[in-house]
Amino acid sequence: MRQWRGGADPLDNGTFATEMDRDDSLSGGDNNFEFAFNSSNFSDRVLRIEVMAETLGAGAGAGIGWAGHRKRRRNDGSKEEAPEFGRYSSELISSCEPDTEECVEYENQDEEDEPMLEESAPITDRTGVCGDESESNDPLSLDYPCILRVKSIYISSAILAAKSPFFYKLFSNGMKESDQRHATLRISASEEAALMELLSFMYSGKLSTTSPTLLLDVLMAADKFEVVSCMHHCTQLLRSLPMTTESALLYLDLPVSVSMASAVQPLTDAAKDYLANSYKDITKLQDVMMGLPLAGIEAILSSNDLQAASEDAIYEFVLKWARAQYPVLEERREILSSRLIRHIRFAHMTCRKLRKVLTCNDLDHELASKLVTEALFFKAEALCRQRAFSADESSHKRFMERAYKYRPLKVVEFDRPHPQCIVYLDLKREECAKLFPSGRVYSQAFHLGGQGFFLSAHCNLDQQSLFHCFGLFLGMQEKGSISFTVDYEFAARTKPSGEFVSKYKGYYTFTGGKAVGYRNLFATPWTSFMAEDSLFFINDTLHLRAELTIKQSQSPSLQ
């Protein structure tokens, strides 16, 4: 073995890592001690690995298969529990009791390397029941693990301690095992392959597998035995593999320890991005999304690019999914309150829908009241304050707009002397640019006189078809027996004053399903409207206002 400087015990002062790093000429690479793995010439101890049978009480092993083995709990996420995937048995026995019959002493370091020792080890005492179950009447016998086999390999305590705080403490904590040549680890059968890969990695810095299932198992073992370098290596290898919905969900289902969270953050971030991009259009993919588990739904809902008609539609989808996945009201309330509600952006829901939130039985009433109040205060804020809230990272995105199909509005309503509302619609410059040459964007619905209306902005040709221009229209949603004669006025903020300037006035009798407006609202070609020196964009935002007043309403049969 390599002589340590000063003759001191490297496990007492931590100098082993420095000494190793200084001389890598034998390995041809940094920290590569592959030549020493399971070699008696370069080892000072024996690691005895007891491979235990899985018990009814133990958690599932790490090796949950890549396809078809991932079972969902109905109470997924309702409590802080370790996920079923990748859960190791909590029992780990680490000891170094001398066992001259089963482990090889190292009196002669010049002898030939011996192969890895593997032996079958049936045990009949209470610490490892492995006998004929028919002969045992002890109902507790199933709770005790059975040792299937024992493996003994040569190890260098310095190498393992340098790579793992777990092994460093095992060999240097002053306990009995620190002075013994034999260390014992007890693992479940499902951990065996992963542990052997991990031990090999601690010597060579390499893994022999590219199997995604085994890589996940190794990742779990590396977390358990605190080998952070291996955790990062597994993460890099897994990220290099093609992502699928199934693999993304597995990555999001990994248990979150402190070290695991840091090492696998790039992997979980990539999984979230994949799901968010794959299920971006909630309108088209709603039926498929209904079958996704909680972790997948959370990843999708957290995206700013989620495409939906409105935040109202997202809220309705979340309720629909929760009711299907959690039919028990108490469980559903818990999941909504603790996991899903925070992903809904109530500030961009319509006031009509917010009223329904207050009476929704699926939500905790106190929490719903708090969220609705916060949303209403946001809507009442000035635009500059709204932008500040949206940019505040501490708000966890709850004030940020998404890629809504129907643009949010701010509406002010009056009842007297006539039913009236003032509607404010803001469009960003890039949104307007996307309208060319024949696109259109719709606002959310708003209500006046019990009927639904909307605004739509268009890029269209002028009436003489000479150039493209910006148009604004007012439409009525519902087709009913009531007709409305509406006085309307379109206005926009303009430079340099920043005040709203009236652009078009008119009146129209709506009977439902029709729209009215002006094809060239600003009386200018599209190129002038979109120019950098345009009078109509203030801080790259177009501010539009529509004022609607109902002067009369009557049945079509009486007109």
Side-chain angles (χ1 to χ4, degrees), residues 69 272 361:
H69 291 73
K272 291 177 181 178
N361 192 45

Side-chain angles (χ1 to χ4, degrees), residues 415-429:
D415 293 328
R416 299 175 182 177
H418 305 286
Q420 183 184 40
C421 67
I422 302 175
V423 182
Y424 297 90
L425 172 64
D426 294 337
L427 297 176
K428 297 178 182 178
R429 183 186 287 271

